[in-house]
Amino acid sequence: MYFIDVILPIPLKQTFTYSVNKDEALFLKPGMRVAVPFGKSKIYTAIVYRIHQVKPPTYETKSIDQILEEHAIITPVQLKHWEWIADYYMCTLGEVIRAALPGAFLLESETIIKLATKEPIDESQLNDEEFLLYESLRNQSTLHVNDVRSILDRKNVVAVLNSLMEKGIVEVHEEVFEIYKPKLKRYIGLAGEFQREEALKNLLDTLSRAPRQRQLLMTLFMMSSQEENVDSVLLQKKSETNASVLRTLIDKGVLEEYYLQKDRVEYVRDDGDAIKTLSEAQEEAFSEIKNLFKTHEINLLHGVTSSGKTEIYIRLIDELLATGQQVLYMLPEIALTTQLISRLQRFFGKKISVYHSKYSLNERVEVWNNVLQSKPKAQIIIGARSSLFLPFQNLGMVIIDEEHEPSFKQYSPAPRYHGRDAAIVLAGIHKAKVLLGSATPALETYFNAKEGKYGLVTLTERYGKVLMPDIELVDIREKHRKKRMTGHFSDCLLEEIRESLGNKEQVIFFQNRRGYSPVVECTTCGVAPQCPNCDVSLTYHQYKNQLRCHYCGYHMPMLQECMACGSPTLDTKGFGTEQIEEELKELFPEHRIARMDQDTTKGKHAYGKLIEKVENEEIDILVGTQMLAKGLDFRKVSLVGVMNADNLLNFPDFRAHERSFQLLQQVAGRAGRTEKRGKVLIQSFNPYHQILKQVSVHDYVAMFEEQLQERYQYKYPPYFRIIKITFRHRSLQTMQRAAVWFGEVLKIQLKDQVLGPESPPIGRIRNEYISNVLVKIPRGQSLNKTKGFIGKVQQRFFSQKEFARVKLVIDVDNY
């Protein structure tokens, strides 16, 4: 007897054992997909994990339903990497597979209903609903369960189906349907019998009275000499004919049509550009990186904004491609992939594939298969954090650009992994090199470089020896006092805007809050509309005239009067990107103004279109959130305005000052990236803040040393590891009891390393009350033993009946 352990990504995300026969056991390999029965009747996709002959002692095994593939879609290296992710981030392997695989690979059976007999039945025994369903099945051989719901116009159809099954009229079974459908493209060729010269000559003579057919045929000969396969649509277009002319020739047997599988997204080489010559500073950094790779597997390139880090990456990729190895180029934002693709396409063309969540299921499956089969079109993978899950066969290098970005961290759902750290481990398994790049590295990364764990290469000058932007801090408290503010703009900022626009240059404004206003308040009674599901006020979005919650999505029309006192005196407090955009349109009506935030970039190609407009100088002023700060390269931007730096600095988080420095420095880096020196104005009520002073003189090292001292003093990373345990429940009392119980049990062994439980600044989201417990682990203490202890406490926690419905989330390295 043979058995296989399979991982069920859905519904329970756990591992189960099924029985197989000897032939199946010999055929199956780890990483293959099989369909297995689970529960009463459902069939799910599962991944083969292990094949053995040990029967499970606790339950009777079922047989698998079917084998879905002839080859494994997951490699042994992937499984090894995913086991590490599951172990390190304290989640199940099923949860990792669920996150890693494109949705099209994870199938769930669908309920199909058909007649059990073709013999006539006694219709008098059926009620109205049963008769309606019976009549439908007589006209249609099978029905999906959703069709039954539509026909009967009710959600619960189980009773009707059970009644018909008991009477022997219908039968129900489960079928698994593949979601992925390959794209087939139609091509045209000359039929075999007309390949000979004599037959072809006779054919052309017979077509002398059909000029359009003859024209199509002549165009086909011309196109065949240039390309192997002639596309039917292109053929019709070039010959200036239509589908009916083509169909006539096919029906006559003169032409043959055939279909070939094509990828939905393909990149072609634009100009075949030669790789740019590096500047002296870039060449020095490039040589240093190559030398460091001999002694360090992981290196950090700390280069100021616009220093030309991408050009160094391109040179490294070019050298690696000659060895036939694959390259993973990770970026924090999908917006960045748009601009980078066009740059890399000029050098590497068809060798590029892109992978991120804005792609459709089918497109992601095609990239997955291309990487698995090591196709030339998948030698360079550009993608967001999910791209590290791809089935690399021969990974040679991982480049992580803007490695400091919080977007690399997955917060929900599990696995709550950090893309940078998981990619470093992946590279280690493949024995590949890692290059981290940033103008403002994460504190932990720079600390590792200073400690000698990573190699460090510094690039201190901008490409073309352009000066770093001139950063000016504007005291808006003083400007308000002297009445020199127009809306949210200081007089000096408006003066700089007019100068830049007068010089036909572009301007960027940064405000890290979308919407029109975060609070709408009644000036009579002081009441502000709150979200009914969360402990937050509703944000006003003017473009939809809505009040919206950014946590649960709840929305309502904008109020005309106060809900508490009925007074019409409603006023907005604070400001977001929408309000800045509106003010700019009033101040500069003759200029083209656009906004870049989550609301304006929802579509698949929305980022690309907006970036293209800026590059083509179709936009004069761009207002945006932190999307603007992530490595975008706009050549004509000379001025950057930060509307209010204070909300960044005052965020309740131990990384607030580091993140503020990184964000402001990155936003400032969008200015003056060509010949002319850029200008940056940062508005603040506290311009003497230490971080703002360090930003104004581009002093990363001073910020690093100051923050490092604070981290050591207050026991934070990189000196301590942090595990955050979150409790959620609809009852405040149950949640509090659960958090206190867990915290007290942890303190038995970990003592003062455990902080909390404490409620976060927003204590209720989606009608669930929240509490956090923080575990700080010093560098000398075993992380695995500590996690093992937390895991045991977690098992004891779930065995308590009182806490069975409390949601528990463990987030390792939650920063």
Side-chain angles (χ1 to χ4, degrees), residues 390-401:
L390 286 166
F392 296 100
Q393 300 284 2
N394 187 16
L395 187 64
M397 183 180 286
V398 178
I399 294 169
I400 306 169
D401 200 12

Side-chain angles (χ1 to χ4, degrees), residues 793-808:
V793 176
Q794 185 185 11
Q795 286 174 353
R796 276 184 62 193
F797 177 83
F798 284 126
S799 67
Q800 309 280 324
K801 195 176 178 182
E802 184 188 1
F803 307 141
R805 292 187 176 276
V806 176
K807 290 179 185 171
L808 176 69

Side-chain angles (χ1 to χ4, degrees), residues 14-282:
Q14 289 181 0
T15 308
F16 288 90
T17 304
Y18 286 83
S19 56
V20 290
N21 61 41
K22 188 179 179 181
D23 290 339
E24 287 172 332
L26 291 170
F27 179 75
L28 287 167
K29 290 182 180 67
M32 288 176 81
R33 280 194 314 155
V34 290
V36 296
F38 189 81
K40 287 184 179 177
S41 59
K42 280 285 182 187
I43 295 168
Y44 293 96
T45 304
I47 304 298
V48 177
Y49 184 52
R50 200 180 286 117
I51 302 149
H52 57 88
Q53 289 182 283
V54 182
K55 187 178 180 179
T58 52
Y59 59 91
E60 198 63 39
T61 57
K62 295 179 181 178
S63 298
I64 64 169
D65 185 72
Q66 59 176 303
I67 298 169
L68 294 171
E69 259 130 2
E70 292 183 2
H71 59 86
I73 60 160
I74 297 170
T75 66
V77 169
Q78 276 180 295
L79 278 173
K80 188 178 177 182
H81 183 225
W82 297 353
E83 283 168 354
W84 176 85
I85 290 174
D87 177 60
Y88 186 82
Y89 292 103
M90 297 182 74
C91 61
T92 66
L93 192 53
E95 284 172 322
V96 180
I97 288 177
R98 174 80 194 221
L101 286 177
F105 284 141
L106 303 172
L107 310 175
E108 184 180 335
S109 65
E110 296 177 17
T111 309
I112 305 296
I113 299 102
K114 62 181 179 183
L115 287 174
T117 176
K118 291 183 180 177
E119 300 297 319
I121 63 158
D122 178 12
E123 293 176 3
S124 61
Q125 63 172 320
L126 305 177
N127 63 30
D128 289 350
E129 286 186 329
E130 290 169 357
F131 178 74
L132 190 61
L133 189 53
Y134 174 67
E135 278 296 297
S136 301
L137 283 165
R138 283 177 63 186
N139 297 322
Q140 203 172 325
S141 58
T142 61
L143 286 174
H144 190 279
V145 70
N146 289 336
D147 300 330
V148 175
R149 290 187 181 113
S150 302
I151 291 162
L152 301 182
D153 194 24
R154 58 187 281 188
K155 201 170 182 180
N156 192 351
V157 294
V158 175
V160 180
L161 290 174
N162 281 342
S163 175
L164 286 170
M165 283 164 70
E166 284 166 13
K167 292 169 185 173
I169 296 166
V170 303
E171 55 186 37
V172 176
H173 63 103
E174 297 287 322
E175 281 187 25
V176 177
F177 296 98
E178 284 283 6
I179 299 171
Y180 171 64
K181 289 180 175 62
K183 182 184 177 184
L184 297 173
K185 206 166 185 181
R186 184 180 176 221
Y187 294 97
I188 304 297
L190 193 64
E193 61 186 283
F194 295 104
Q195 299 281 357
R196 296 191 312 276
E197 196 176 329
E198 193 180 324
L200 191 59
K201 192 179 176 186
N202 293 335
L203 171 65
L204 290 169
D205 290 341
T206 58
L207 293 176
S208 57
R209 292 192 170 199
R212 298 188 76 199
Q213 291 178 26
R214 187 186 170 94
Q215 172 64 26
L216 189 138
L217 211 57
M218 296 305 287
T219 308
L220 176 68
F221 298 151
M222 184 187 75
M223 289 176 72
S224 298
S225 65
Q226 294 169 356
E227 46 199 290
E228 191 180 341
N229 300 301
V230 178
D231 180 7
S232 65
V233 176
L234 205 60
L235 175 62
Q236 291 168 54
K237 196 175 174 182
K238 285 197 173 181
S239 62
E240 297 178 357
T241 56
N242 54 32
S244 62
V245 177
L246 184 58
R247 176 50 58 192
T248 306
L249 286 168
I250 291 167
D251 292 343
K252 282 181 180 178
V254 174
L255 299 179
E256 290 175 342
E257 60 181 341
Y258 59 98
Y259 293 85
L260 293 176
Q261 189 175 326
K262 294 288 284 181
D263 284 351
R264 285 167 171 82
V265 180
E266 286 188 328
Y267 295 99
V268 293
R269 192 159 181 143
D270 275 0
D271 315 309
D273 287 6
I275 290 171
K276 285 183 186 175
T277 308
L278 299 181
S279 69
E280 197 178 315
Q282 284 175 317

Side-chain angles (χ1 to χ4, degrees), residues 593-617:
I593 297 159
R595 180 162 50 91
M596 188 189 207
D597 57 28
Q598 206 175 315
D599 298 323
T600 61
T601 54
K602 282 181 178 169
K604 181 177 174 180
H605 301 295
Y607 286 117
K609 287 174 184 172
L610 202 51
I611 289 165
E612 196 178 325
K613 280 184 178 178
V614 178
E615 286 177 337
N616 295 339
E617 296 176 46

Side-chain angles (χ1 to χ4, degrees), residues 332-337 339 358 402 405-407 508-514 577 595-603 606-608 610-611 622-634 663 666-667 670:
E333 281 283 340
I334 294 164
L336 282 178
T337 61
Q339 207 174 33
K358 283 277 170 81
E402 310 296 344
E405 277 294 339
S407 312
I508 281 178
F509 287 103
F510 170 72
Q511 170 60 11
N512 205 24
R513 182 175 276 145
R514 64 189 173 101
T577 49
R595 180 162 50 91
M596 188 189 207
D597 57 28
Q598 206 175 315
D599 298 323
T600 61
T601 54
K602 282 181 178 169
Y607 286 117
L610 202 51
I611 289 165
L622 182 64
V623 183
T625 55
Q626 59 185 4
M627 288 179 183
L628 293 171
K630 300 189 179 179
L632 293 169
D633 185 21
F634 300 132
L663 204 48
Q666 290 285 342
V667 171
R670 301 315 107 210

Side-chain angles (χ1 to χ4, degrees), residues 514-517 538-550 558 578 595 597 599:
R514 64 189 173 101
Y516 186 86
S517 167
L538 295 171
T539 301
Y540 174 42
H541 286 254
Q542 193 180 51
Y543 81 111
K544 281 190 174 177
N545 198 33
Q546 276 182 350
L547 292 170
R548 183 173 280 273
C549 173
H550 289 174
M558 176 59 182
E578 269 187 35
R595 180 162 50 91
D597 57 28
D599 298 323

Side-chain angles (χ1 to χ4, degrees), residues 304-315:
V304 296
T305 53
S306 192
S307 57
K309 293 185 287 293
T310 309
E311 303 305 329
I312 295 172
Y313 302 154
I314 288 169
R315 274 282 291 275

